[in-house]
Each structure stands twice: as C-alpha cells, then as structure tokens.
C-alpha cells in the first residue's frame, strides 16, 4: 500500500502498477512473488477499469477513483486516458493475460478522436494538453493490439520530425528544450511505426543521446544525472543502434549508487526510492548488463519473452 | 489545525456535517480483491472524493461544485477529469478569471511539475484577452496590458524559483508566440543567460527568440544576425569554456541556417580564442571546442571537396585526442566517429 502522501498518484495507479510489474519482471521474479490467484485478481481489477462503452472516453482509466461505472451519467467524469490504456495493456500481458477481454475497437475508435490535425495526441477528451508522450502511448497501444487504424502515421511522423531541435535532441513541441523523456517518446514512436528513417539527422540525434552520459545519464544539457534517464536515454540509444558506443560500466556504476538502504532505486544517490525510478533504473541497468537479465524490449517496456508469447497468440 | 476565522471552521468540518451538502449522497469507490497500488487515503480525501464523484456523476454546475474541485485539486492535481470539469464550471458560472488565475498560481507553487495547471492557465488567458484582439495593438502596449503583465510576472516568479522549470519555459514559449512578444523575449533571454551561463533552457529560448516562429526548415539566417550571434556566443564561452550550451547553440544554429559561416566566421573566432593565452588552457581541455571543430570541418569538407583529405586527417587526429585524453568517457563514440569520417 502506498502512503497517503502518494495521493497525487491516485489517477495514475495503473501506471504505477505497470512500473511495479515491470520491475519484478526485469528481476525475473514476477511469477515467483505473485501467486496465480493474486495475478488473476489483479487482472480482474485492471479490467474493472475498462470503460464499458464506446466513444471518445473508451479505453482504460487511471484508477478506481472515478467510482463505479454505473453511477456516472456525465461522460467526461469517467474517462479513459491513453497513458492508462497503455499501462493497462502492458500490465495485463505481464500478468499472463491474453487480452481477450479488451475492447479493441472501442480503444482504437477513441484513439482516432484523440489525434489532432497537427499529428500529436491528447490523452483524453476535454483537454488541450498534447505532446509526444501521448503519441508514444498511442503507438505502443497500436503495436500491442497489432492494429494501426487508430493512428494517422503520416501526421504523427510529421509532428515528431518538427520536434527535432538544433542540437540534435528531440523535444515536446517545436522550439522547446531538448529533453530525454521526449527523445524516448519520439524515437520509440517512430520505431514502432517503422518510420525511424524519418529522423532528419539520426547520427546527430544519437550523438545528443550519448552525450547525456557523464557517468549516469542526465535528461537535459547541463543538468545532473537522474536514474530514470538510464531508461529514457538508454532505451533510445538501444533503438538508434548505439549500444556499443555507451560506457555501460559507468552507467551501471551510477545506477548502483542510487540503490537505497531500504531497497529500490532513487533518482539520485542518497535520495528516497520510488516505483518509477526503481523500475526504470532496473530496465536501464539491464541494457548495461544484458547477460544478467531477461531481455527487455526498449520500445515497449516489456520483456521480449512476454512480447513474443503475445505475438505468437495473435498469429494463431 | 488552529481554527481562526469562519472559513477555516468550514474547512475543518466534514462535508457530511454541512447543511449545504445534505442533499448529496457520496459515491464510494469500489476496489475488489486485486486492488493494485492502493493508497492509504486520509479520511478527508476519501470524503472529498465521495462528494466529488456524486456531483461529477451528474455534471452539476454550482459554486459548491467549483469549491469542491479546488479542494480535490489541492490534494491531487493529477486527477485528470476534475480539471476538465473545473474548466466547464468556470465558464458556465462566469467566474472571475483573474481570481481563477490567482488560484492557479497557488497550485503551481505547491505542485511546480504538474502538467494540467499550465493548460488550464492557457485557456483562461485566451478567454481574458483573445490573441486576435491583442495583436491589434503594439508589442509595448501588449506587454504593459494587465493580462500579459500578470503572466510575465507569474513566469518570472516560476523561473526564479526553478530556473530550468520545463513547464514554465514551455508556457513562456506559448505566451510569447501567441501574443507576439518577441522583442522583450530576446532581452529576457540575455538576462537569464547572464545570470547563469550554463542554463540550457535559456540558451534554447535564445534559439526560439531568434527564429521568432519562422519555420526552421526554410530559414536562412541573415549574415549580420549570424555574425552577431557568433560574437555573443564567443563572449559567453570566455566566461566558461567547458560549457555545452553555447557550443551546441552556435553549431546547431549555423548548421541549420547559415552552414558556410561555420567555417568562414565561427572557425577563425574560436581558433583565435584557443590561441589567446588567457583561454588557451581551458579551450584545449574542453571536449566541446574539439567537437565543434569536427562539425565545422565536416561541413567545410562537404562544401569544398578539394579540402576533404586535409580536413579528414585533422579530424582523425582530433577524434584520437578526444578518445584518449579529452573526453575518455565517450571514447567509443569518438572511435566510431573516426571510422565514419570518410563517408561524410
């Protein structure tokens, strides 16, 4: 159970859950720590967050805080969110579910309505918040469901290309500061759409990513290293084919420095741990020492083995 | 908590005991056995949410609903649908927008990394002064207008609190682009760079201000602007040669918008600086100087194939030096770069 101070995460429990499962999966412990009954109960809880109707609000919501579905007649009050839908699908796969209860058409129908003319996505109706995080979620969902009818790939690609910055980095919207998190979302989206060649200068982008390393990885020029960038930058580097150009020893050393006394990983050495940094730090660590961990997909924050089993089921 | 005035008495009393809320039955949250990442809610939050669910479920439009959304956001600003609901309430109740903006300021102090509050602020500002109307007056008049003056002051405070707050800089770009506040922006950027020459957010904003919303893929920078930027960068490199920001700014700017000036103008200036006794040691030790030379030679070589062999030889030596001495942590990259010199 998370402490009351974590209440600002109440609408993101689905994502926190995904991160916890990813962390356990990276350690190869998921099926040992969680019994079959526990996993089945968690799967049920996730499906309880699926909005039981089609339309723009369809998909999975971020938590149970919105109340019982039947109690709500004002649609905007009980809405899915692209990030939560992505987290839900990943979590279901990690828990061994076959996604048979997922209302695929409803999700893709909602997704179409969330893409703006500029190519980017809003996470749910009624907001003007839009950026590559949600393009990534849409691409990840489409890849997992193996159906791209919810995404105008040309428009999304055009938007991402506009996010490339003067220093080779990628950012949230044209002219904003190059940022490791948005680099990941842009590069992973292009990779999932099989449009990586749309990057205006792939070598320069790879260089920008590599030069976020000064020991550990930092997320923006002249900022301090933070363990979560071991994933955001580390995974982007993997996707761009730069694994052999990284000083993996130095990155691994930094991550180990971030290990907390009580367990888990913190964003900086000596800081307090949290699920996001613990999980992303672990996956980032696995890229540095691949022989010691189950192989993790840099594009989808899932073990390759889980992804392969899922693809095999899809082709049957 | 100490109870002083009547408003605090109301806050301390639970909603269930307030006359105003007697007609509402709170809606409880359902969990189930497999509840994932449950949070140990305080009784206060649990109660607020029960009442919020009840009013949101029917889309109630009222002052009490508005007050309730504020209380929930103050606990959990990541509640993504409550912002949508609040926006609707503010519009339909015709709430005072200036007061609403003040309230958003309070939220941003408590939760500087929250995303939603900035977008809420955007919608309020455009309602207060439509951009199409604002653009009918001069920039001086726009900057002194109370609406925009308040926003610029709010941004000053946010950036003062955290000079690299990504949301603040991003909102600032929205404000400057939407209301065409370009002249004041270059001055602001200069102030921020001089406050901290390593603030990359400020250098990035300089690129934004110089381009002033022109499409980067078609802009050719005027020669006098490019020269002036080169001088500006060199002066700031002198303050701290081992600083990524000005180097990546000037090489990126010229590569995109005046590529030949990389070698006609930037190259002689940085070589001059490297030869200057006062800066020689620092320049030799910084990887950014050598990396800039590689980028410059790459462009020069592409434009002047007759110089290619000589430039590749020099670049090769630079890669070796970077890999073995000046930038060892990136040695694998520099070795790779050396092998790809010939293919440029």
């Amino acid at each position: 159970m998370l402490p009351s101070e974590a209440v600002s995460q109440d609408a993101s429990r689905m994502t926190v859950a995904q991160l916890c499962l990813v962390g356990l999966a990276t350690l190869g412990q998921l099926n040992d720590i969680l019994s079959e009954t526990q996993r089945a109960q968690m799967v049920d809880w996730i499906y309880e967050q699926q909005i039981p109707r089609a339309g723009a609000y369809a998909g999975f919501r971020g938590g149970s805080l919105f109340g019982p579905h039947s109690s709500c007649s004002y649609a905007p009050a009980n809405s899915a969110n692209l990030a939560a839908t992505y987290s839900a699908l990943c979590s279901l796969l990690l828990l061994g579910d076959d996604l048979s209860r997922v209302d695929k058409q409803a999700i893709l129908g909602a997704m179409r309505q969330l893409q703006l003319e500029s190519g980017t996505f809003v996470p749910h109706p009624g907001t003007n918040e839009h950026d590559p995080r949600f393009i990534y979620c849409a691409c990840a969902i489409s890849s997992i469901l193996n159906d791209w009818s919810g995404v105008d790939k040309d428009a999304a690609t055009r938007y991402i290309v506009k996010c490339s910055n003067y220093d080779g980095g990628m950012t949230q919207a044209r002219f904003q500061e190059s940022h490791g998190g948005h680099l990941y979302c842009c590069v992973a989206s292009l990779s999932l759409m099989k449009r990586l060649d749309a990057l205006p200068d792939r070598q320069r982008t790879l260089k920008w990513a590599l030069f976020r390393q000064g020991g550990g990885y930092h997320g923006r020029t002249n900022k301090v290293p933070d363990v979560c960038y071991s994933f955001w930058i580390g995974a982007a580097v993997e996707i761009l084919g730069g694994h052999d150009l990284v000083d993996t020893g130095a990155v691994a050393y930094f991550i180990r420095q971030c290990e907390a006394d009580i367990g888990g990983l913190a964003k900086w050495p000596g800081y307090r741990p949290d699920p996001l940094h613990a999980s992303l730090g672990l996956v980032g660590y696995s890229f540095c020492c691949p022989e010691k961990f189950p192989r993790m997909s840099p594009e989808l924050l899932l073990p390759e083995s889980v992804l392969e089993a899922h693809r095999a089921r899809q082709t049957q | 908590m100490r109870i002083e005035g009547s408003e605090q008495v109301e806050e301390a009393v639970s909603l269930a005991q307030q006359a105003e809320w007697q007609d509402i039955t709170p809606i409880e949250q359902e969990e189930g056995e497999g509840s994932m990442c449950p949070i140990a809610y305080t009784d206060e939050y649990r109660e607020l949410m029960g009442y919020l669910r009840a009013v949101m479920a029917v889309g109630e439009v009222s002052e009490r609903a508005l007050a309730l959304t504020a209380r929930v956001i103050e606990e959990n600003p990541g509640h993504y649908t409550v912002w949508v609901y609040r926006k609707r309430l503010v519009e339909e109740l015709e709430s005072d927008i200036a007061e609403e903006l003040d309230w958003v300021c309070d939220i941003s102090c408590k939760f500087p990394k929250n995303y939603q509050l900035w977008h809420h602020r955007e919608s309020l500002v455009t309602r207060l002064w439509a951009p199409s109307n604002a653009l009918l007056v001069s920039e001086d008049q726009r900057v002194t207008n109370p609406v925009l003056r308040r926003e610029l002051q709010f941004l000053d405070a946010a950036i003062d609190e955290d000079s690299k707050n990504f949301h603040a800089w991003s909102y600032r770009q929205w404000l400057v682009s939407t209301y065409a506040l370009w002249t004041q922006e270059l001055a602001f950027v200069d102030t921020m760079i001089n406050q901290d020459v390593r603030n990359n957010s400020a250098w990035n904003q300089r690129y934004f201000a110089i381009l002033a919303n022109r499409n980067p893929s078609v802009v050719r920078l005027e020669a006098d602007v490019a020269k002036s930027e080169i001088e500006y960068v060199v002066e700031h490199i002198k303050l701290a040669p081992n600083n990524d920001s000005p180097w990546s700014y000037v090489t990126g700017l010229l590569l995109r918008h005046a590529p030949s000036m990389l070698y006609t103008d930037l190259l002689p200036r940085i070589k001059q600086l490297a030869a200057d006794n006062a800066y020689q040691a620092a320049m030799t030790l910084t990887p950014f100087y050598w990396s800039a030379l590689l980028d410059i030679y790459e462009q020069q070589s592409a434009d002047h194939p007759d110089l290619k062999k000589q430039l590749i030889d020099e670049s090769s030596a630079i890669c070796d030096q970077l890999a073995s001495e000046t930038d060892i942590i990136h040695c694998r990259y520099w070795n790779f770069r050396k092998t790809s010199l010939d293919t440029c």
Side-chain angles (χ1 to χ4, degrees):
Chain A
M1 175 163 280
L2 294 166
S4 58
E5 290 83 6
V7 77
S8 61
Q9 299 299 308
D10 202 16
S12 322
R13 281 169 62 192
M14 194 65 79
T15 301
V16 181
Q18 175 202 7
L19 291 166
C20 292
L21 292 172
V22 167
L24 288 174
T26 313
L27 291 167
Q29 298 275 312
L30 217 167
N31 294 337
D32 299 329
I33 301 245
L34 298 174
S35 70
E36 208 174 311
T37 312
Q38 282 174 308
R39 278 181 269 132
Q41 286 170 344
M42 288 178 179
V43 163
D44 284 343
W45 182 86
I46 294 173
Y47 276 117
E48 272 152 37
Q49 311 318 320
Q50 184 166 216
I51 306 289
R53 43 188 162 269
Y57 301 95
F60 287 79
R61 57 191 192 172
S64 47
L65 78 169
F66 303 105
H69 298 296
S70 54
S71 68
C72 189
S73 60
Y74 174 56
N78 189 25
S79 174
N81 177 313
L82 275 179
T85 300
Y86 158 63
S87 293
L89 295 179
C90 278
S91 300
L92 287 169
L93 290 177
L94 285 162
L95 291 166
D97 186 69
D98 62 1
L99 307 189
S100 52
R101 286 186 266 168
V102 171
D103 189 346
K104 183 169 147 178
Q105 290 315 313
I107 288 173
L108 296 170
M111 198 188 284
R112 273 191 286 278
Q113 298 185 58
L114 299 176
Q115 187 169 21
L116 304 183
E117 226 180 287
S118 61
T120 185
F121 281 81
V122 295
H124 57 84
T127 180
N128 56 343
E129 187 186 354
H130 60 85
D131 65 59
R133 289 174 298 155
F134 308 119
I135 303 179
Y136 171 71
C137 292
C139 288
I141 292 165
S142 303
S143 173
I144 289 171
L145 297 178
N146 197 24
D147 187 328
W148 289 87
S149 59
V151 177
D152 176 347
K153 290 187 196 174
D154 290 341
T157 302
R158 270 196 308 273
Y159 185 88
I160 290 172
V161 167
K162 285 189 184 152
C163 290
S164 61
N165 205 2
Y166 63 83
D167 53 6
M170 309 286 295
T171 181
Q172 181 170 263
R174 176 171 268 174
F175 295 122
Q176 290 186 28
E177 191 183 1
S178 300
H179 187 293
H182 293 296
L183 171 82
Y184 175 75
C185 293
C186 289
V187 166
S189 298
L190 288 178
S191 182
L192 288 167
M193 289 191 287
K194 312 260 186 278
R195 300 281 180 104
L196 212 44
D197 52 359
L199 274 175
D201 191 337
R202 181 169 169 162
Q203 287 309 311
R204 213 163 142 72
T205 299
L206 174 58
K207 186 189 175 205
W208 185 88
L210 291 168
F211 280 73
R212 286 329 97 210
Q213 181 186 13
Y217 283 115
H218 54 259
R220 287 187 273 161
T221 301
N222 284 339
K223 291 208 82 179
V224 295
D226 174 331
V227 98
C228 66
Y229 291 105
S230 318
F231 177 75
W232 304 124
I233 304 272
V237 167
E238 295 289 315
I239 293 171
L240 292 170
H243 175 86
D244 292 337
L245 305 180
V246 180
D247 184 340
T248 48
V251 176
Y253 177 77
F254 174 77
I255 297 171
R256 287 196 300 273
Q257 297 300 105
C258 294
E259 200 168 0
D261 287 343
I262 57 167
L265 293 168
K267 68 191 290 182
W268 303 314
Y271 206 62
R272 58 182 181 273
D274 64 69
L276 177 103
H277 290 91
S279 167
L280 296 183
L282 262 175
V283 181
Y285 196 76
S286 79
F287 295 140
C288 297
C289 328
E291 67 288 350
K292 293 186 183 163
F293 290 89
R295 231 184 100 65
M296 298 297 288
S297 158
E299 293 164 333
L300 285 171
L301 210 53
L302 287 168
E304 291 281 6
S305 56
V306 167
L307 211 42
E308 277 156 19
H310 171 61
R311 298 283 182 228
R313 277 195 301 267
Q314 277 178 326
T315 51
Q316 272 162 15
Chain B
M1 107 186 175
R2 234 157 48 86
I3 295 171
E4 287 179 31
S6 61
E7 312 93 81
Q8 279 172 289
V9 169
E10 214 175 317
E11 262 182 16
V13 173
S14 89
L15 295 175
Q17 294 172 309
Q18 291 181 32
E20 195 192 0
W21 288 98
Q22 287 311 304
D23 61 310
I24 295 284
T25 309
I27 296 178
E28 294 310 308
Q29 191 167 324
E30 285 173 354
E31 279 301 337
E33 297 277 345
S35 169
M36 298 190 78
C37 304
I39 296 169
Y41 300 138
T42 59
D43 290 339
E44 189 192 344
Y45 178 78
R46 197 188 301 274
E47 189 190 46
L48 287 176
M49 287 299 293
Y51 280 87
L52 181 74
R53 280 187 284 267
V55 296
M56 277 185 82
V58 297
E60 176 181 309
V61 175
S62 66
E63 289 295 338
R64 70 176 180 180
L66 183 68
L68 188 52
T69 61
R71 291 189 66 190
V72 169
I73 288 171
E74 283 155 20
E75 293 287 326
N76 176 15
H79 186 314
Y80 53 90
T81 59
V82 79
W83 284 101
V84 178
Y85 183 46
R86 188 173 175 93
K87 180 170 179 240
R88 179 190 166 197
L89 290 171
V90 163
E91 281 167 17
E92 292 195 26
L93 294 170
E94 293 179 356
S95 306
D96 184 285
I97 300 182
E99 273 178 30
E100 182 70 1
L101 285 167
D102 283 341
W103 173 78
V104 174
C105 278
D106 293 341
I107 300 294
S108 78
C109 289
K110 202 174 166 198
F111 301 102
K113 302 216 168 171
N114 172 268
Y115 282 83
Q116 286 94 343
L117 72 91
W118 298 95
H119 296 282
H120 189 69
R121 210 175 171 93
E122 273 178 34
S123 64
L124 293 168
V125 169
T126 46
R127 272 183 62 208
L128 209 45
W129 200 18
S132 51
N133 290 339
L135 294 171
L136 297 172
V137 303
S138 72
E139 183 176 335
D140 281 343
Q141 286 172 297
R142 288 197 288 278
V143 165
T144 50
N145 176 284
V147 177
L148 298 187
R149 197 175 60 230
R150 174 208 266 107
E151 294 312 294
L152 290 169
Q153 279 167 355
F154 169 66
L155 281 164
D156 276 347
I159 289 174
D160 203 47
E161 178 65 33
D162 173 4
S163 65
K164 300 181 185 184
N165 183 331
F166 193 83
H167 302 287
W169 285 102
S170 160
Y171 180 73
R172 202 183 165 94
Q173 286 200 1
W174 172 82
L175 193 76
V176 168
S177 315
T178 306
Y179 292 95
L181 306 173
W182 300 106
T183 310
Q184 66 78 45
E185 195 61 6
L186 209 44
F188 177 77
V189 160
D190 186 44
T191 306
M192 292 307 297
I193 288 175
N194 290 327
Q195 247 179 51
D196 175 5
V197 74
R198 289 182 180 80
N199 186 339
N200 195 65
S201 306
W203 282 100
N204 181 77
Q205 197 79 347
R206 192 171 182 89
Y207 181 80
F208 162 73
I210 292 281
L211 252 74
N213 249 357
R214 290 174 290 169
N215 181 347
S217 45
V218 301
V219 168
R220 298 293 304 180
L221 211 55
E222 303 80 358
D224 59 330
V225 174
K227 282 187 214 266
S228 148
E229 286 310 293
I230 290 170
E231 279 318 304
Y232 185 88
V233 162
V234 168
E235 286 312 301
H236 287 83
I237 285 174
K238 286 178 180 174
L239 298 174
N242 192 32
N243 172 12
D244 197 347
S245 296
W247 290 103
S248 57
Y249 168 72
V250 76
T251 49
L253 179 77
L254 296 178
L255 194 64
R256 278 185 162 189
H257 308 298
S260 60
M261 291 181 76
L262 278 166
Y263 49 89
T264 58
D265 289 77
L266 179 64
L267 181 61
R269 282 302 277 116
I270 60 176
K271 288 222 136 175
Q272 184 183 29
L273 195 64
D276 183 330
N277 280 334
Y279 303 101
Q280 190 172 57
M283 289 285 277
T284 312
L285 287 173
T286 175
F288 305 119
Y289 167 61
W290 300 103
S291 175
L293 287 178
L294 286 177
D295 287 345
I296 293 169
Y297 292 155
E298 193 175 305
Q299 184 65 43
Q300 192 174 22
S301 174
D303 294 347
H304 298 279
D306 51 311
L307 298 173
K308 193 167 173 182
K309 165 104 186 34
Q310 171 201 332
L311 292 171
I312 287 181
D313 287 344
E314 274 193 61
S315 299
S316 200
I318 291 175
C319 287
D320 283 339
Q321 181 199 315
L322 282 162
S324 60
E325 278 174 51
T326 323
D327 193 19
I328 297 174
I329 195 160
H330 298 117
C331 69
R332 290 177 213 188
Y333 172 76
W334 294 120
N335 290 333
F336 163 74
R337 184 78 182 261
K338 182 179 170 180
T339 63
S340 50
L341 285 173
D342 225 348
T343 57
C344 298

